[in-house]
């Protein structure tokens, strides 16, 4: 039986991981630590809040003492670190929060884990506690690709281009250093763009869906031909599961969806699916009376091209060959099945 501390577990990916874990490992204990900033939402955890093997603590990962107390109180052996500022646009206009949370926060988690799992005086003369610190990172640390470049592998040189990706790159390096210098049992996964339930509506896919429902413009940066690899969020949780169960300590694993799409094509696909939904279900027009374009089957009229954001990376693509070959990872959802859900 594992005892997990999940940081950022009330956010989009973290909450989906909690649901996945409790469903697949009902005897394990899960503690969520989340500061409940703008992207954290307790409602994301409502389906599991009454389970005896689940508990929630509101707090900041920068509070090393709090983290140490949770590791000790709950006898935690596995820390899965999702907590992060993650929106590139916000990092451009307000980078300070990204430095504080993504770098300083991760650093304090590492210090707390080392203190409890390795340096704890109660462990004097004993072997270090069996533990795992798993760090969830992003493909954005690798920089940008041209249309013909090969996809990112685990050995691709880091070349972050935004304050967000730079802060995540720094946290990746700290995790690596704590393994090689102090012997902390760590692993890291770098994922592609996630989508799915509980997605915060500032991100592309939920933004397009909600804006259609309220008949608002669908903003598309530049020419809309920025390419991303889209990963259904439960497939991401599955990939992390495999890393925790089979992955080698100290290693990095790429988790992708094998699913590259240009942003404008994602927007157009959602427009078509929304029109289809309204055409097939007359009750939707009553439930969402503001969705005039969807009701009129003309959602493409909402698409509006806007000025590209500074330093916008052109393409991301994940090569998950290592994760497939070593761990058996293959995405379970196609984009067609995932976007329908």
């Amino acid at each position: 039986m594992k005892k997990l501390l999940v940081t950022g577990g009330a956010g989009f990916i973290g909450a989906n991981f909690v649901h996945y874990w409790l469903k697949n490992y009902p005897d394990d204990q899960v503690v969520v630590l989340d500061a409940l900033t703008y992207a954290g939402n307790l409602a994301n955890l409502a389906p599991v809040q009454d389970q005896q093997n689940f508990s929630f603590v509101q707090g900041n990962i920068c509070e090393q003492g709090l983290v140490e107390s949770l590791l000790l109180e709950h006898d935690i052996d596995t820390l899965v670190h999702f907590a992060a500022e993650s929106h590139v646009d916000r990092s451009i206009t307000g980078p300070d929060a990204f430095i504080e949370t993504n770098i300083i926060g991760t650093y304090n988690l590492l210090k707390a884990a080392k203190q409890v799992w390795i340096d704890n005086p109660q462990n004097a003369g004993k072997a270090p506690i069996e533990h795992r610190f798993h760090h969830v990172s992003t493909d954005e640390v690798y920089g940008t690709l041209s249309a013909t470049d090969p996809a990112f592998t685990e050995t691709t040189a880091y070349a972050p281009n935004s304050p967000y990706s730079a802060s995540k790159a720094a946290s990746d390096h700290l995790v690596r250093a704590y393994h090689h210098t102090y012997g902390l049992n760590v692993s890291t996964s770098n994922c592609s763009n996630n989508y799915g339930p509980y997605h915060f509506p500032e991100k592309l896919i939920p933004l397009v869906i909600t804006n259609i429902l309220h008949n608002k413009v669908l903003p598309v940066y530049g020419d809309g031909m920025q390419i991303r690899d889209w990963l259904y969020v439960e497939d991401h949780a599955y990939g992390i599961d495999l890393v925790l169960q089979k992955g080698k300590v100290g290693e990095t694993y790429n988790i992708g969806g094998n699913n590259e799409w240009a942003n404008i094509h994602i927007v157009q696909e959602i427009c078509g699916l929304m029109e289809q939904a309204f055409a097939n279900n007359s009750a939707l027009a009553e439930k969402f009376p503001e969705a005039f374009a969807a009701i009129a089957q003309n959602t493409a009229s909402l698409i509006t091209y806007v000025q590209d954001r500074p330093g916008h990376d052109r393409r991301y693509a994940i090569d998950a060959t290592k994760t497939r070959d070593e761990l058996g990872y293959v995405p379970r959802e196609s984009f067609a099945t995932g976007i329908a859900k």
Side-chain angles (χ1 to χ4, degrees):
M1 181 181 77
K2 290 185 182 298
K3 297 179 179 179
L4 286 76
L5 175 63
V6 180
T7 70
F12 163 47
I13 305 177
N16 276 282
F17 176 82
V18 169
H19 292 301
Y20 170 93
W21 200 270
L22 290 174
K23 176 183 176 181
N24 288 278
Y25 302 99
D27 294 328
D28 286 0
Q29 300 288 321
V30 174
V31 180
V32 166
L33 173 64
D34 198 295
L36 294 182
T37 55
Y38 74 95
N41 188 348
L42 267 180
N44 295 346
L45 296 168
V48 299
Q49 281 184 327
D50 294 331
Q51 293 185 205
Q52 290 187 342
N53 59 339
F54 170 83
S55 56
F56 175 82
V57 177
Q58 183 173 354
N60 196 306
I61 60 172
C62 292
E63 300 175 31
Q64 182 182 341
L66 171 61
V67 177
E68 288 184 20
S69 67
L70 292 175
L71 294 175
L72 289 167
E73 178 186 350
H74 297 277
D75 196 22
I76 299 295
D77 54 53
T78 304
L79 192 158
V80 186
H81 176 32
F82 291 97
E85 295 284 346
S86 66
H87 193 44
V88 175
D89 287 3
R90 287 177 182 263
S91 83
I92 294 170
T93 57
D96 288 6
F98 290 74
I99 304 304
E100 181 70 19
T101 298
N102 298 353
I103 302 178
I104 304 301
T106 300
Y107 175 54
N108 281 308
L109 286 176
L110 290 165
K111 288 196 293 180
K114 175 177 175 287
Q115 175 63 31
V116 171
W117 286 336
I118 297 176
D119 298 339
N120 190 337
Q122 297 177 13
N123 300 327
K126 302 177 183 178
I129 296 171
E130 286 295 323
H131 64 269
R132 176 69 70 87
F133 185 112
H134 182 73
H135 175 57
V136 180
S137 190
T138 171
D139 57 1
E140 297 193 36
V141 298
Y142 299 123
T144 187
L145 297 169
S146 74
T148 57
D149 284 335
F152 301 130
T153 70
E154 289 81 358
T155 59
T156 299
Y158 275 32
N161 290 318
S162 71
Y164 161 60
S165 56
S167 67
K168 290 297 289 185
S171 65
D172 292 6
H173 293 322
L174 284 170
V175 171
R176 174 185 169 86
Y178 262 71
H179 170 64
H180 286 276
T181 302
Y182 302 114
L184 194 68
N185 292 342
V186 308
S187 51
T188 296
S189 55
N190 294 80
C191 70
S192 53
N193 280 35
N194 281 221
Y195 69 100
Y198 308 115
H199 205 170
F200 193 73
E202 68 185 358
K203 301 297 181 75
L204 178 64
I205 288 177
L207 177 70
V208 171
I209 294 171
T210 53
N211 278 15
I212 288 173
L213 294 176
H214 296 283
N215 214 59
K216 296 181 179 179
V217 299
L218 309 179
V220 175
Y221 280 132
D223 62 2
M225 292 305 295
Q226 304 86 2
I227 294 172
R228 301 294 183 261
D229 173 37
W230 290 93
L231 171 67
Y232 189 66
V233 67
E234 189 166 299
D235 280 332
H236 186 188
Y238 169 56
I240 294 172
D241 181 6
L242 291 174
V243 174
L244 291 174
Q245 304 295 348
K246 302 179 181 180
K248 297 176 183 176
V249 169
E251 289 290 313
T252 295
Y253 295 92
N254 281 350
I255 302 175
N258 299 326
N259 181 45
E260 291 186 52
W261 283 69
N263 286 347
I264 184 60
H265 297 153
I266 288 283
V267 174
Q268 291 167 343
E269 178 74 7
I270 294 172
C271 285
L273 290 170
M274 292 289 278
E275 289 180 4
Q276 182 180 340
F278 273 80
N280 293 340
N281 184 355
S282 59
L284 288 178
E286 298 179 12
K287 187 174 183 180
F288 301 102
E290 295 179 354
F292 303 119
I295 295 168
Q297 301 287 286
N298 188 27
T299 53
S301 65
L302 299 174
I303 296 174
T304 303
Y305 291 89
V306 299
Q307 182 177 353
D308 209 352
R309 72 181 177 211
H312 200 172
D313 289 340
R314 193 64 173 173
R315 173 176 169 247
Y316 304 140
I318 281 282
D319 182 343
T321 299
K322 174 182 175 180
T323 313
R324 181 197 66 202
D325 291 350
E326 293 188 13
L327 310 182
Y329 168 76
V330 176
R332 295 168 171 174
E333 297 287 349
S334 67
F335 190 68
T337 60
I339 198 66
K341 289 181 178 182

Coordinates of all heavy atoms in Angstrom, one line a residue, residues 287-334:
K287 N -30.8 25.1 -22.7 CA -29.8 25.1 -21.6 C -28.8 26.3 -21.8 O -28.3 26.9 -20.8 CB -29.1 23.8 -21.5 CG -28.2 23.7 -20.2 CD -27.6 22.3 -20.1 CE -26.8 22.2 -18.8 NZ -26.2 20.8 -18.7
F288 N -28.4 26.5 -23.1 CA -27.4 27.5 -23.4 C -28.0 28.5 -24.4 O -27.6 28.5 -25.6 CB -26.1 26.9 -23.9 CG -25.5 25.9 -23.0 CD1 -25.7 24.6 -23.2 CD2 -24.8 26.4 -21.9 CE1 -25.1 23.6 -22.3 CE2 -24.2 25.5 -21.0 CZ -24.3 24.1 -21.2
P289 N -28.9 29.4 -24.0 CA -29.6 30.2 -24.9 C -28.7 31.3 -25.6 O -29.1 31.9 -26.6 CB -30.7 30.9 -24.1 CG -30.2 30.8 -22.7 CD -29.4 29.5 -22.6
E290 N -27.6 31.6 -24.9 CA -26.6 32.5 -25.5 C -25.8 32.0 -26.6 O -25.1 32.7 -27.3 CB -25.7 33.1 -24.4 CG -26.4 33.9 -23.3 CD -25.4 34.3 -22.3 OE1 -24.2 34.0 -22.4 OE2 -25.8 35.1 -21.4
A291 N -25.8 30.7 -26.8 CA -25.0 30.0 -27.9 C -25.6 30.2 -29.3 O -25.9 29.3 -30.0 CB -24.8 28.6 -27.5
F292 N -25.7 31.5 -29.7 CA -26.4 31.8 -30.9 C -25.8 31.2 -32.1 O -26.4 30.6 -33.0 CB -26.5 33.3 -31.1 CG -27.2 34.0 -30.0 CD1 -26.5 35.0 -29.2 CD2 -28.5 33.8 -29.6 CE1 -27.1 35.7 -28.2 CE2 -29.1 34.4 -28.6 CZ -28.4 35.4 -27.8
A293 N -24.4 31.2 -32.2 CA -23.7 30.7 -33.4 C -23.8 29.2 -33.4 O -24.0 28.6 -34.5 CB -22.3 31.1 -33.3
A294 N -23.8 28.5 -32.3 CA -23.9 27.1 -32.3 C -25.4 26.7 -32.7 O -25.5 25.7 -33.4 CB -23.6 26.5 -30.9
I295 N -26.3 27.4 -32.2 CA -27.7 27.1 -32.6 C -27.9 27.3 -34.1 O -28.6 26.6 -34.7 CB -28.7 28.0 -31.7 CG1 -28.6 27.6 -30.2 CG2 -30.1 27.9 -32.2 CD1 -29.3 28.6 -29.3
A296 N -27.3 28.4 -34.6 CA -27.4 28.7 -36.0 C -26.5 27.9 -36.9 O -26.5 28.1 -38.1 CB -27.2 30.2 -36.2
Q297 N -25.7 27.0 -36.3 CA -24.7 26.2 -37.0 C -23.7 27.0 -37.7 O -23.3 26.8 -38.9 CB -25.4 25.3 -38.0 CG -26.4 24.3 -37.3 CD -25.7 23.2 -36.5 OE1 -25.2 22.3 -37.0 NE2 -25.8 23.3 -35.2
N298 N -23.2 28.1 -37.1 CA -22.3 29.0 -37.7 C -21.2 29.4 -36.7 O -20.8 30.6 -36.6 CB -23.0 30.2 -38.2 CG -22.1 31.1 -39.1 OD1 -21.1 30.7 -39.7 ND2 -22.4 32.4 -39.1
T299 N -20.6 28.5 -36.0 CA -19.6 28.8 -34.9 C -18.3 29.3 -35.5 O -17.6 30.1 -34.8 CB -19.3 27.5 -34.0 OG1 -19.0 26.5 -34.9 CG2 -20.5 27.2 -33.2
A300 N -18.0 29.0 -36.7 CA -16.8 29.5 -37.3 C -16.8 31.0 -37.4 O -15.7 31.6 -37.5 CB -16.6 28.8 -38.7
S301 N -17.9 31.6 -37.4 CA -18.0 33.1 -37.5 C -17.4 33.7 -36.2 O -17.1 34.9 -36.3 CB -19.4 33.5 -37.7 OG -20.2 33.2 -36.5
L302 N -17.2 32.9 -35.2 CA -16.7 33.5 -33.9 C -15.2 33.5 -33.9 O -14.6 34.2 -33.1 CB -17.2 32.7 -32.7 CG -18.7 32.6 -32.5 CD1 -19.0 31.6 -31.3 CD2 -19.2 34.0 -32.2
I303 N -14.5 32.8 -34.9 CA -13.1 32.7 -34.9 C -12.5 34.1 -35.2 O -12.9 34.7 -36.2 CB -12.6 31.7 -35.9 CG1 -13.0 30.3 -35.5 CG2 -11.1 31.8 -36.1 CD1 -12.7 29.2 -36.5
T304 N -11.6 34.6 -34.4 CA -11.0 35.9 -34.5 C -9.5 35.8 -34.3 O -9.0 35.3 -33.3 CB -11.5 36.9 -33.5 OG1 -13.0 36.9 -33.6 CG2 -10.9 38.2 -33.7
Y305 N -8.7 36.1 -35.4 CA -7.3 36.1 -35.3 C -6.8 37.3 -34.5 O -7.2 38.4 -34.8 CB -6.6 36.0 -36.7 CG -6.9 34.7 -37.4 CD1 -8.1 34.5 -38.2 CD2 -6.0 33.6 -37.2 CE1 -8.3 33.3 -38.8 CE2 -6.3 32.4 -37.8 CZ -7.4 32.3 -38.6 OH -7.7 31.1 -39.3
V306 N -5.9 37.1 -33.5 CA -5.4 38.2 -32.7 C -3.9 38.2 -32.8 O -3.2 37.2 -33.2 CB -5.8 38.0 -31.2 CG1 -7.4 38.1 -31.1 CG2 -5.3 36.7 -30.6
Q307 N -3.3 39.3 -32.3 CA -1.8 39.4 -32.4 C -1.2 38.3 -31.6 O -1.5 37.9 -30.5 CB -1.4 40.7 -31.8 CG 0.1 41.0 -31.8 CD 0.5 42.4 -31.3 OE1 -0.4 43.2 -31.0 NE2 1.8 42.6 -31.2
D308 N -0.1 37.7 -32.2 CA 0.6 36.6 -31.6 C 1.2 37.0 -30.3 O 1.6 38.2 -30.2 CB 1.6 36.0 -32.6 CG 1.9 34.5 -32.3 OD1 1.4 34.0 -31.4 OD2 2.6 33.9 -33.2
R309 N 1.4 36.1 -29.4 CA 2.0 36.4 -28.1 C 3.5 36.5 -28.3 O 4.1 35.8 -29.2 CB 1.6 35.5 -27.0 CG 2.2 34.1 -27.1 CD 1.7 33.3 -25.9 NE 2.2 31.9 -26.0 CZ 1.5 30.8 -25.5 NH1 0.3 31.0 -25.0 NH2 2.0 29.6 -25.6
P310 N 4.3 37.2 -27.5 CA 5.7 37.3 -27.6 C 6.4 36.0 -27.4 O 6.0 35.2 -26.5 CB 6.1 38.3 -26.5 CG 4.9 39.1 -26.2 CD 3.7 38.1 -26.4
G311 N 7.3 35.6 -28.3 CA 8.1 34.4 -28.2 C 7.3 33.2 -28.3 O 7.7 32.1 -27.7
H312 N 6.2 33.2 -29.0 CA 5.4 32.0 -29.1 C 6.1 30.8 -29.8 O 6.4 31.0 -31.0 CB 4.1 32.4 -29.9 CG 2.9 31.5 -29.7 ND1 1.7 31.7 -30.2 CD2 2.8 30.3 -29.0 CE1 0.9 30.8 -29.8 NE2 1.6 29.9 -29.1
D313 N 6.2 29.7 -29.1 CA 6.9 28.6 -29.7 C 6.0 28.0 -30.9 O 4.8 27.9 -30.7 CB 7.1 27.5 -28.7 CG 8.2 27.9 -27.7 OD1 9.0 28.7 -28.0 OD2 8.2 27.3 -26.6
R314 N 6.7 27.6 -31.9 CA 5.9 27.2 -33.1 C 5.4 25.8 -33.0 O 4.2 25.5 -33.4 CB 6.8 27.3 -34.4 CG 6.1 27.2 -35.7 CD 5.1 28.4 -35.9 NE 4.5 28.4 -37.2 CZ 3.5 29.2 -37.5 NH1 3.0 30.1 -36.7 NH2 3.0 29.2 -38.8
R315 N 6.2 24.9 -32.5 CA 5.7 23.5 -32.5 C 6.4 22.7 -31.3 O 7.5 22.9 -31.0 CB 6.1 22.8 -33.8 CG 5.9 21.3 -33.8 CD 6.2 20.7 -35.2 NE 6.2 19.2 -35.2 CZ 7.3 18.4 -35.3 NH1 8.5 19.0 -35.6 NH2 7.2 17.1 -35.2
Y316 N 5.5 21.9 -30.7 CA 6.0 20.9 -29.7 C 5.6 19.5 -30.2 O 4.5 19.4 -30.7 CB 5.4 21.1 -28.3 CG 5.6 22.5 -27.7 CD1 4.5 23.1 -27.0 CD2 6.8 23.2 -27.8 CE1 4.6 24.3 -26.4 CE2 6.9 24.4 -27.2 CZ 5.8 25.0 -26.5 OH 5.9 26.2 -25.9
A317 N 6.5 18.6 -29.9 CA 6.1 17.2 -30.3 C 6.9 16.3 -29.4 O 8.1 16.5 -29.2 CB 6.4 16.9 -31.7
I318 N 6.3 15.3 -28.8 CA 6.9 14.4 -27.9 C 7.2 13.0 -28.5 O 6.3 12.4 -29.2 CB 5.9 14.1 -26.7 CG1 6.0 15.3 -25.7 CG2 6.3 12.8 -26.0 CD1 7.2 15.3 -24.8
D319 N 8.4 12.5 -28.4 CA 8.7 11.2 -28.7 C 8.7 10.3 -27.5 O 9.6 10.5 -26.6 CB 10.1 11.2 -29.4 CG 10.5 9.8 -29.9 OD1 10.0 8.8 -29.4 OD2 11.5 9.7 -30.7
A320 N 7.7 9.5 -27.3 CA 7.6 8.7 -26.1 C 8.1 7.3 -26.2 O 7.7 6.4 -25.5 CB 6.1 8.7 -25.7
T321 N 9.1 7.1 -27.2 CA 9.6 5.8 -27.4 C 10.2 5.1 -26.2 O 9.9 3.9 -25.9 CB 10.6 5.8 -28.5 OG1 10.0 6.3 -29.7 CG2 11.2 4.4 -28.8
K322 N 10.9 5.9 -25.4 CA 11.6 5.3 -24.2 C 10.5 4.9 -23.2 O 10.6 3.8 -22.7 CB 12.5 6.4 -23.6 CG 13.0 6.0 -22.2 CD 13.9 7.1 -21.6 CE 14.3 6.7 -20.2 NZ 15.2 7.8 -19.6
T323 N 9.5 5.7 -23.0 CA 8.4 5.3 -22.1 C 7.6 4.1 -22.6 O 7.2 3.3 -21.8 CB 7.5 6.5 -21.9 OG1 8.3 7.7 -21.7 CG2 6.6 6.3 -20.7
R324 N 7.4 4.0 -23.9 CA 6.8 2.8 -24.4 C 7.6 1.6 -24.3 O 7.1 0.5 -23.8 CB 6.5 3.1 -25.9 CG 5.7 1.9 -26.6 CD 5.8 2.0 -28.1 NE 7.2 1.9 -28.5 CZ 7.7 2.3 -29.7 NH1 6.9 3.0 -30.5 NH2 8.9 2.2 -30.0
D325 N 8.9 1.7 -24.6 CA 9.7 0.5 -24.7 C 10.1 0.0 -23.2 O 10.1 -1.2 -23.0 CB 11.0 0.8 -25.4 CG 10.8 0.9 -26.9 OD1 9.7 0.6 -27.4 OD2 11.7 1.4 -27.6
E326 N 10.3 0.9 -22.3 CA 10.7 0.5 -21.0 C 9.6 0.3 -20.0 O 9.7 -0.6 -19.2 CB 11.6 1.6 -20.4 CG 13.0 1.8 -21.1 CD 13.9 2.7 -20.3 OE1 13.6 3.0 -19.1 OE2 15.0 3.1 -20.9
L327 N 8.5 1.0 -20.2 CA 7.4 0.9 -19.3 C 6.1 0.3 -19.9 O 5.1 0.0 -19.1 CB 7.1 2.3 -18.7 CG 8.3 3.1 -18.2 CD1 7.8 4.4 -17.6 CD2 9.0 2.3 -17.1
G328 N 6.0 0.2 -21.2 CA 4.8 -0.3 -21.8 C 3.7 0.8 -22.1 O 2.5 0.4 -22.2
Y329 N 4.1 2.0 -22.0 CA 3.1 3.1 -22.2 C 2.7 3.3 -23.6 O 3.5 3.4 -24.5 CB 3.7 4.4 -21.7 CG 2.9 5.6 -22.1 CD1 1.7 5.9 -21.4 CD2 3.2 6.5 -23.1 CE1 0.9 7.0 -21.7 CE2 2.5 7.5 -23.5 CZ 1.3 7.8 -22.8 OH 0.5 8.9 -23.1
V330 N 1.4 3.2 -23.8 CA 0.7 3.6 -25.1 C -0.6 4.3 -24.7 O -1.4 3.9 -23.9 CB 0.4 2.3 -25.9 CG1 -0.4 2.8 -27.2 CG2 1.6 1.5 -26.3
P331 N -0.8 5.5 -25.3 CA -2.0 6.3 -25.0 C -3.3 5.4 -25.2 O -3.3 4.7 -26.3 CB -2.0 7.5 -25.9 CG -0.6 7.7 -26.2 CD 0.0 6.3 -26.2
R332 N -4.2 5.4 -24.3 CA -5.5 4.6 -24.5 C -6.5 5.4 -25.3 O -7.4 4.8 -25.8 CB -6.0 4.3 -23.1 CG -5.0 3.3 -22.3 CD -5.5 3.2 -20.9 NE -4.7 2.2 -20.2 CZ -4.8 1.9 -18.9 NH1 -5.6 2.7 -18.1 NH2 -4.1 1.0 -18.3
E333 N -6.4 6.7 -25.3 CA -7.4 7.5 -26.0 C -6.9 8.1 -27.3 O -5.8 8.6 -27.3 CB -7.9 8.7 -25.1 CG -8.6 8.3 -23.8 CD -10.0 7.8 -24.0 OE1 -10.5 7.9 -25.1 OE2 -10.5 7.2 -23.0
S334 N -7.7 8.0 -28.3 CA -7.3 8.8 -29.5 C -7.9 10.2 -29.3 O -8.6 10.4 -28.4 CB -8.0 8.1 -30.8 OG -9.4 8.3 -30.6

